[in-house]
Amino acid sequence: MMIDFALHAERTLGMSPEDAIFNACLMRFRPIMMTTFAALLAALPLALGSGYGAELRRPLGIAIVGGLVFSQILTLYTTPIIYLYMDRFEAWCRRTFRRNDSKLPSTRIDPL
């Protein structure tokens, strides 16, 4: 969703990629945090529970909590970086291949 918001801001509002992803991060931060914390709080009884059978459920709870924390870091920090790198890669490809296209002979077929 963060990327969709950034692409929408770039295409319709004419923002630069840096401004678009920054605004998308600001707009999507709260919903991302709310869903992550809801899942995290739901998994805490598994991770911290005690009683009969807790030794079987505790590794699952710890794995869920660790996975949520890792995915949160991945989402909030690396997604904007990858977005900007992909935008720069796209610009590089356009410059590189546009330059090479002008050197190629025309493949246009003249009508009879």
Side-chain angles (χ1 to χ4, degrees), residues 28-77:
R28 295 300 304 162
F29 179 75
R30 182 172 168 235
I32 290 170
M33 292 300 287
M34 286 173 56
T35 54
T36 301
F37 276 120
L40 185 73
L41 291 175
L44 279 181
L46 283 174
L48 302 176
S50 62
Y52 184 72
E55 65 274 358
L56 295 175
R57 292 187 302 267
R58 185 169 291 146
L60 176 64
I62 292 170
I64 291 171
V65 170
L68 286 169
V69 169
F70 180 74
S71 68
Q72 189 74 0
I73 291 169
L74 190 69
T75 300
L76 294 177
Y77 291 114

Side-chain angles (χ1 to χ4, degrees), residues 1-6 20-36 72 75-76 79-80:
M1 292 293 296
M2 192 184 313
I3 300 300
D4 290 337
F5 274 76
I21 195 68
F22 180 74
N23 286 335
C25 288
L26 290 178
M27 290 175 63
R28 295 300 304 162
F29 179 75
R30 182 172 168 235
I32 290 170
M33 292 300 287
M34 286 173 56
T35 54
T36 301
Q72 189 74 0
T75 300
L76 294 177
T79 302

